[in-house]
Amino acid sequence: VDFDDLIRLALDILEMDEEYLERVRYRFPYILEDEAQDSSRLQQDILGLLSGPGGNWVRVGDPNQAIFETFTTASPELLREFIAQNPSVDMPESGRSQQSIIDLANYLIDWVMNEHPIEEARRALAPPYIEPVPPDDPQPNPPTDRAAIRFSSKRLTAEEETKAVVDSLSKWLPKNEDSTVAVLVPRNTRGVEVINALKAKNIEYVEFLSSTSNTRAAAGALSNLIAYLADPQSASKLAKAYQVWRRAWKDVKERATLIHDTSAWLRKVGNVEDYVNPNLAFARGESLRPSSLSPASRGEGIGEAEAIIAEGEPEQIVSELNDFRVHVRRWLEAVTLPIDQLVLTLAQDIFTEAADLALAHKLALVLRKAADDHTEWRLPELTAELAVIAKNERRFIGFSADDSGFDPEQHRGKVVVTTMHKAKGLEWDRVYLMSVNNYDFPSNQPNDRFISEKWFLRNNLNLEAEALAQLNAATSSSEYDWYDEGAATLAARVDYVKERLRLFFVGITRAKRELIVTWNTGRQGDATPGLALSALMGWWEDPSN
């Protein structure tokens, strides 16, 4: 079963077994639900059953921060309906941001409610407005500084926008080494572009995108080992496997030359099998005996043929090659194991951290499931599954500290690059919001395009929305429910517009002291500032404000 099945089956058992329901109610007499705006109807139904009539169920949430609606079954309207039907208390105070940032976020609520050109979108945001905490609060708001909010009105390409942000960071960071800073992007691919630019400038960064860098590094390490086992005659893959084996040394300067030279030797191996099984070459009389090696390095105690090496190589490299050969042989013998057992065998040789070992177990289960679903797959296809995770193309939650609870305070003086979605619940002293154009933040205007709609489909139909509409019509018992092609796509556009307005609101409210908002002209060069961004810039530049 997948996650959706778990939710469905949990609801089924509570509805079907009254005795079990009563036992669970007795066990959990109080229920506190956090982030209630992100709950689906089924999750809400489960908690409603658990709390029972008149039960102690407290829901804490902010419909203005519902940013997962278009790709999950969550809906902020569920919480709004619940609030309307039950006693509620507003909690508008926030000590996170300085007053000018609070004013900006509150104006966005006002503009959306009263001036957004799409009437259906005006329900995207609603009061209560954010209020600063009292002066004696343990977490006081930062000092007001209107000049700390800046909008970029320049027409920049995506590359120029990235350069402008990175140049700004390179000037700001040396004077603010004790501060936190984040670059928030609407999509992971945009984040990768920013990271590449930071690398080119040698600016320290922390990547917090689809999967954390630690998770991807572990997946990549296993992927490289299995890639070699899938192609054991490849010298280049053998060299990569060696680097994985010595991954713990990657930050040890004294070892860098040894790793580099050993890897170079392995890449030049003419016949990998002669390295793995030197007895074969020795039997042919092709072994080379470097006269400069000590007896220990020449193979005493490990068999006469074990010390095969290019003549004249330093003793350290010979020792490395001999040690690595032992592991390679064991890995090759393990390829007949089921894929999950193979992964765990490899992990024991390359990982020492508990988080990496736990991740390896999780990856082993993923690959075993893939192997069971695709019985024709062999190591090359299974390696590709790991590569997808390692390349940040699939979200995969690991067990590192950043996976389980990212703390911006642990990364002072470094640039955190993440998406606006993942930034929810976090805060930084300075925040850059990038790509706030009418592609990433459309408002359903004539020139707006929608990410979920494919250009090659007729009328730009949203296939997911249309399929759901067809399913609803097919299963409905009402004669008035019928399928109207295109209606679901239009409704999905409005839902997306509403979610992106809330995402913009969330991005703004991640900033504590400084906020910089930029936009770009997009891939085709015809994108414009998002409508909400234009409204905020106009209001901010008005002297009366």
Side-chain angles (χ1 to χ4, degrees):
V1 298
D2 61 17
F3 180 74
D4 291 331
D5 290 323
L6 291 176
I7 299 297
R8 173 182 59 82
L9 293 170
L11 179 59
D12 284 350
I13 195 171
L14 294 178
E15 290 179 333
M16 295 167 58
D17 192 334
E18 292 185 9
E19 182 182 346
Y20 177 71
L21 174 59
E22 287 301 323
R23 292 205 309 271
V24 180
R25 281 179 179 171
Y26 179 80
R27 184 178 178 186
F28 300 106
Y30 301 97
I31 297 174
L32 173 62
E33 176 192 3
D34 196 15
E35 303 290 358
Q37 75 278 354
D38 295 328
S39 291
S40 68
R41 184 170 296 281
L42 292 186
Q43 291 168 329
Q44 179 175 285
D45 290 346
I46 288 172
L47 294 178
L49 283 170
L50 289 178
S51 62
N56 293 300
W57 178 18
V58 177
R59 309 190 74 183
V60 182
D62 181 3
N64 287 347
Q65 297 194 52
I67 56 175
F68 302 110
E69 181 180 6
T70 58
F71 53 89
T72 71
T73 54
S75 172
E77 297 305 319
L78 297 172
L79 180 59
R80 287 200 176 109
E81 293 170 4
F82 186 90
I83 292 172
Q85 297 167 5
N86 294 276
S88 63
V89 177
D90 288 339
M91 296 190 295
E93 292 179 357
S94 172
R96 171 184 293 141
S97 306
Q98 58 128 319
Q99 185 64 55
S100 295
I101 293 173
I102 291 175
D103 292 342
L104 192 70
N106 286 340
Y107 176 74
L108 179 60
I109 295 175
D110 267 341
W111 178 81
V112 168
M113 290 176 59
N114 301 307
E115 298 184 45
H116 197 285
I118 305 301
E119 188 170 351
E120 299 95 322
R122 293 181 181 178
R123 283 178 51 83
L125 296 171
Y129 298 102
I130 303 172
E131 298 177 8
V133 298
D136 59 348
D137 192 273
Q139 184 192 358
N141 296 83
T144 302
D145 182 5
R146 200 174 193 278
I149 297 177
R150 293 184 290 283
F151 296 97
S152 172
S153 57
K154 294 181 180 179
R155 183 181 178 85
L156 302 175
T157 64
E159 293 77 14
E160 291 169 341
E161 180 195 28
T162 300
K163 182 178 184 304
V165 168
V166 172
D167 287 347
S168 171
L169 285 164
S170 66
K171 296 174 184 176
W172 182 84
L173 281 167
K175 303 175 184 177
N176 297 273
E177 293 180 348
D178 292 329
S179 298
T180 57
V181 59
V183 176
L184 307 186
V185 294
R187 289 171 288 121
N188 282 295
T189 51
R190 193 79 182 97
V192 172
E193 293 166 2
V194 173
I195 286 167
N196 289 337
L198 291 170
K199 283 181 183 177
K201 280 268 190 177
N202 292 318
I203 296 175
E204 285 193 276
Y205 66 89
V206 178
E207 185 179 349
F208 189 44
L209 297 172
S210 284
S211 304
T212 62
S213 56
N214 287 340
T215 295
R216 292 196 308 281
L222 289 169
S223 176
N224 284 322
L225 288 190
I226 298 177
Y228 163 68
L229 296 179
D231 186 11
Q233 289 301 320
S234 170
S236 61
K237 292 177 182 177
L238 177 67
K240 196 69 178 177
Y242 165 74
Q243 294 171 4
V244 169
W245 180 61
R246 286 303 192 198
R247 66 195 299 269
W249 288 1
K250 63 184 175 70
D251 296 323
V252 182
K253 292 182 180 179
E254 307 83 65
R255 302 284 189 176
T257 300
L258 176 60
I259 293 174
H260 175 272
D261 292 345
T262 306
S263 299
W265 192 95
L266 289 168
R267 277 193 295 270
K268 295 176 183 177
V269 173
N271 186 350
V272 174
E273 189 174 0
D274 285 347
Y275 163 71
V276 177
N277 296 298
N279 286 306
L280 298 176
F282 188 71
R284 298 195 304 268
E286 298 176 0
S287 58
L288 298 175
R289 288 303 183 96
S291 58
S292 61
L293 298 183
S294 67
S297 298
R298 295 176 69 165
E300 290 188 8
I302 55 174
E304 187 176 17
E306 297 295 300
I308 290 182
I309 195 68
E311 188 171 4
E313 292 293 347
E315 183 175 345
Q316 276 189 313
I317 294 181
V318 176
S319 179
E320 276 291 280
L321 291 169
N322 286 335
D323 290 345
F324 180 52
R325 181 191 290 118
V326 174
H327 290 82
V328 172
R329 285 176 171 174
R330 184 165 67 250
W331 297 341
L332 287 168
E333 290 172 356
V335 295
T336 57
L337 293 172
I339 186 61
D340 52 336
Q341 295 180 35
L342 174 61
V343 168
L344 295 177
T345 300
L346 299 175
Q348 292 296 326
D349 281 346
I350 62 173
F351 297 145
T352 56
E353 296 294 326
D356 288 339
L357 290 167
L359 176 66
H361 187 272
K362 187 174 179 180
L363 289 168
L365 294 176
V366 169
L367 292 185
R368 180 55 183 265
K369 178 68 164 58
D372 290 343
D373 290 343
H374 304 276
T375 55
E376 76 282 5
W377 280 12
R378 296 296 178 262
L379 285 183
E381 291 83 5
L382 294 169
T383 303
E385 285 289 291
L386 282 177
V388 167
I389 297 170
K391 294 176 182 177
N392 208 35
E393 295 173 3
R394 179 183 303 161
R395 177 164 171 73
F396 194 88
I397 300 175
F399 298 92
S400 68
D402 286 345
D403 279 306
S404 57
F406 189 86
D407 182 6
E409 294 296 319
Q410 299 299 316
H411 306 292
R412 290 179 175 271
K414 299 179 181 179
V415 182
V416 175
V417 181
T418 187
T419 62
M420 297 177 196
H421 283 95
K422 291 198 76 171
K424 183 182 172 185
L426 305 176
E427 56 191 41
W428 292 268
D429 294 316
R430 170 179 272 219
V431 167
Y432 292 82
L433 296 185
M434 293 184 66
S435 301
V436 189
N437 55 30
N438 68 326
Y439 177 69
D440 288 292
F441 294 86
S443 284
N444 213 6
Q445 299 302 287
N447 294 326
D448 288 351
R449 294 189 299 274
F450 291 82
I451 296 173
S452 55
E453 298 174 5
K454 308 298 185 291
W455 61 269
F456 48 81
L457 295 174
R458 70 174 186 276
N459 302 323
N460 291 338
L461 291 175
N462 181 322
L463 292 187
E464 292 85 352
E466 295 297 322
L468 283 173
Q470 291 175 354
L471 180 62
N472 289 334
T475 58
S476 174
S477 58
S478 172
E479 61 180 298
Y480 299 104
D481 289 335
W482 60 82
Y483 171 65
D484 180 13
E485 184 181 281
T489 295
L490 297 177
R493 289 180 183 176
V494 174
D495 287 341
Y496 188 75
V497 166
K498 291 160 66 177
E499 184 187 280
R500 300 312 267 195
L501 289 168
R502 292 191 291 267
L503 185 63
F504 190 27
F505 178 85
V506 166
I508 290 170
T509 53
R510 298 311 93 196
K512 297 165 67 175
R513 300 174 181 273
E514 301 179 69
L515 175 68
I516 299 96
V517 187
T518 65
W519 66 281
N520 63 67
T521 56
R523 184 178 299 176
Q524 299 181 17
D526 58 353
T528 59
L531 197 60
L533 173 58
S534 296
L536 290 190
M537 286 194 294
W539 178 76
W540 195 250
E541 293 166 1
D542 187 340
S544 63
N545 298 319

